[in-house]
Amino acid sequence: MRLSRYFLPVLKETPAEAQIVSHRLMLRAGMIKQAGAGIYSWLPLGFKVLRKLENIVHEEQMRVGHIPMLMPTLQPADLWRESGRYDDYGEEMLRIKDRQGRDLLYGPTNEEMITDIFRSHVGSYKDLPLTLYHIQWKFRDEMRPRFGVMRGREFYMKDGYTFDLTQEDALHAYNRHLVSYLRTYERMGLQAIPMRADSGPIGGDDTHEFLVLAETGESEVFYDAQITDLKFGDREVDYESHEACRAVLEEFTSRYARTDETHDEALFAEVPEARRRTARGIEVGQIFYFGTKYSDAMGATVQGPDGKSVPVHMGSHGIGVSRLVGAIIEASHDERGIIWPEGVTPFHAGIVNLKQGDAEADAACEALYAGITALGLDPLYDDRDERAGGKFATMDLIGLPWRITVGPRGLKNGVVELTCRRTGTSEEMPPEDAIARLAKIYAPHRGVLVG
Ligand code: ATP
Ligand code: MG
């Protein structure tokens, strides 16, 4: 993309309404525009990051055998009357009437709708296990929408639903989700710690939340410092195997890590004092096993091997895709702007032409642009006739992890400059070497579609 033809409405001033850094930077970098309280338009740069996260979520879900689909945002109230949640959900539910006077709601989540789909089409244990998921907009009429996309009213969420014959199988589905989420967040350049949590209006017994440590997080968290040394990395796990998934779950959840809702002072005191940590965290996902709560209420049964009809065991599993955009920025920025991890960056590299209009500099930039694009990567070329300082400030603000600076002086010696946004270090090298370096840097992140 050439910046002169892109739509990147960066702001010079710091928006007064934004209280936290991710909200400020998303507004300043032209990623979002508020449309109403807790409701945002995703401008091109923000939309690109949202799509990257969405792609990672899809790839990691499909890797473990979960099946994508799409349910609507609007749901008939009658389904929610069956589960009893139409009344229980309270003020957070946005209720709507259509012209026939029928009650609808903008879905805050989809347990009822998926249970209805299941009971309409699945009747035998032979069709289990089954995991269906979608990534769809949700609406919750939050009392205090704030912090930009972190606590919106409209937000984008992956929600997946598991159906199993037995509790044991359902717990395997739960463990498999936990393992797959570890990998998902790591691909986004994040450490998200699974913590024992409270189930809230979804209901159920077993639940973990995934928290990203950040000063601006809304949850208070308590954990054993050893937990932050754990890495999932690129290990191969047999996701079909109960033992393999349970082993990873145990590795990542055996140390103390809880949110304030489930915190237990006495248990925490057993962690050696030097390792005890209290911090703030951002909830970026949650997994639930809730047994037959919805299948009992809504008659979702299957015929078991003995011919008897039994309610299915269910779980639901959510990732806050739009909140993650803010959470990544909270975890990765400096005073000049955002620093995108390679796995989610909107553009892979910025090209800054120090002397637009200089025939040699222009030609070198075009060659770099073509070379990077030929790798299947997505460069952003700042081809505007602007001062170098302004171009650097824009690149730093929008946070591209790598920048190539091209100027007549360097070109005389056959070199351009490759700069790492995170460390600020620059290296001079021939343009071909800069392209080769980018190829190497992005090789581990190739799964993500360019978009
Ligand atoms: P919270 O405690 O933050 O209100 P929740 O526990 O009610 O969230 P879940 O039902 O677990 O949310 O939804 C799954 C994920 O969706 C959450 O982990 C979070 O990342 C995201 N999410 C929930 N509410 C919002 C919101 N208002 N804005 C943006 N993302 C949200
Ligand atoms: Mg939650």
Side-chain angles (χ1 to χ4, degrees), residues 115-246:
T115 307
D116 179 52
I117 292 169
F118 182 89
R119 71 180 170 186
S120 306
H121 299 290
V122 182
S124 163
Y125 76 96
K126 289 181 188 148
D127 297 324
L128 303 181
L130 180 65
T131 300
L132 299 167
Y133 77 93
H134 73 162
I135 305 180
Q136 177 62 292
W137 293 95
K138 305 290 186 288
F139 197 94
R140 295 182 189 171
D141 202 352
E142 300 274 356
M143 175 105 86
R144 286 183 67 203
R146 58 193 178 141
F147 301 159
V149 300
M150 297 257 273
R151 184 162 297 283
R153 292 198 297 164
E154 190 186 44
F155 62 96
Y156 204 41
M157 173 172 133
K158 170 259 164 185
D159 40 324
Y161 303 90
T162 58
F163 300 91
D164 287 279
L165 180 64
T166 64
Q167 178 175 28
E168 194 203 329
D169 288 349
L171 288 174
H172 171 233
Y174 181 91
N175 298 350
R176 187 181 64 234
H177 273 84
L178 188 137
V179 177
S180 110
Y181 279 22
L182 292 170
R183 197 182 151 102
T184 303
Y185 295 120
E186 275 195 21
R187 273 189 68 183
M188 296 174 181
L190 281 177
Q191 179 165 48
I193 304 172
M195 301 198 179
R196 185 165 290 286
D198 193 47
S199 63
I202 308 271
D205 313 322
D206 273 303
T207 179
H208 279 89
E209 284 176 353
F210 287 78
L211 285 111
V212 172
L213 299 176
E215 277 163 32
T216 47
E218 289 187 287
S219 318
E220 188 167 27
V221 299
F222 305 84
Y223 62 96
D224 178 341
Q226 276 190 341
I227 224 161
T228 52
D229 297 333
L230 297 173
K231 293 270 171 307
F232 185 80
D234 45 354
R235 58 178 96 184
E236 299 287 337
V237 176
D238 176 2
Y239 294 99
E240 296 289 312
S241 154
H242 291 213
E243 293 71 39
C245 290
R246 198 179 311 122

Side-chain angles (χ1 to χ4, degrees), residues 21-22 25-26 31 324-333 338 340:
V21 68
S22 59
L25 289 173
M26 287 181 77
M31 294 176 68
L324 272 162
V325 180
I328 292 169
I329 297 173
E330 289 295 328
S332 184
H333 66 270
I338 302 165
W340 292 115

Side-chain angles (χ1 to χ4, degrees), residues 374-424:
L375 294 173
L377 298 176
D378 201 4
L380 180 67
Y381 171 23
D382 191 343
D383 59 344
R384 298 169 305 162
D385 190 10
E386 265 217 23
R387 283 183 316 109
K391 290 188 175 187
F392 290 149
T394 300
M395 286 294 176
D396 285 349
L397 173 64
I398 68 171
L400 308 187
W402 297 93
R403 185 186 80 206
I404 303 177
T405 309
V406 181
R409 207 179 308 153
L411 289 175
K412 279 212 178 70
N413 302 319
V415 295
V416 297
E417 195 179 66
L418 180 68
T419 306
C420 172
R421 173 70 180 85
R422 188 174 295 279
T423 61

Side-chain angles (χ1 to χ4, degrees), residues 209 283 285-286 288:
E209 284 176 353
E283 181 194 330
Q286 187 163 10
F288 302 89

Side-chain angles (χ1 to χ4, degrees), residues 290-438:
F290 43 70
T292 59
K293 176 178 160 151
Y294 294 92
S295 41
D296 281 335
M298 297 181 65
T301 56
V302 290
Q303 209 165 57
D306 56 2
K308 282 203 196 109
S309 183
V310 287
V312 281
H313 286 258
M314 289 177 60
S316 71
H317 311 274
I319 293 182
V321 180
S322 52
R323 176 179 288 180
L324 272 162
V325 180
I328 292 169
I329 297 173
E330 289 295 328
S332 184
H333 66 270
D334 64 13
E335 65 294 342
R336 285 173 295 145
I338 302 165
I339 307 172
W340 292 115
E342 272 90 1
V344 303
T345 183
F347 293 98
H348 297 99
I351 303 171
V352 170
N353 188 342
L354 291 178
K355 200 160 185 206
Q356 206 69 43
D358 174 271
E360 222 189 317
D362 289 1
C365 287
E366 291 297 336
L368 275 166
Y369 189 86
I372 297 169
T373 307
L375 294 173
L377 298 176
D378 201 4
L380 180 67
Y381 171 23
D382 191 343
D383 59 344
R384 298 169 305 162
D385 190 10
E386 265 217 23
R387 283 183 316 109
K391 290 188 175 187
F392 290 149
T394 300
M395 286 294 176
D396 285 349
L397 173 64
I398 68 171
L400 308 187
W402 297 93
R403 185 186 80 206
I404 303 177
T405 309
V406 181
R409 207 179 308 153
L411 289 175
K412 279 212 178 70
N413 302 319
V415 295
V416 297
E417 195 179 66
L418 180 68
T419 306
C420 172
R421 173 70 180 85
R422 188 174 295 279
T423 61
T425 50
S426 293
E427 269 181 81
E428 292 194 329
M429 59 186 78
E432 316 78 76
D433 290 8
I435 296 172
R437 279 281 285 280
L438 291 177

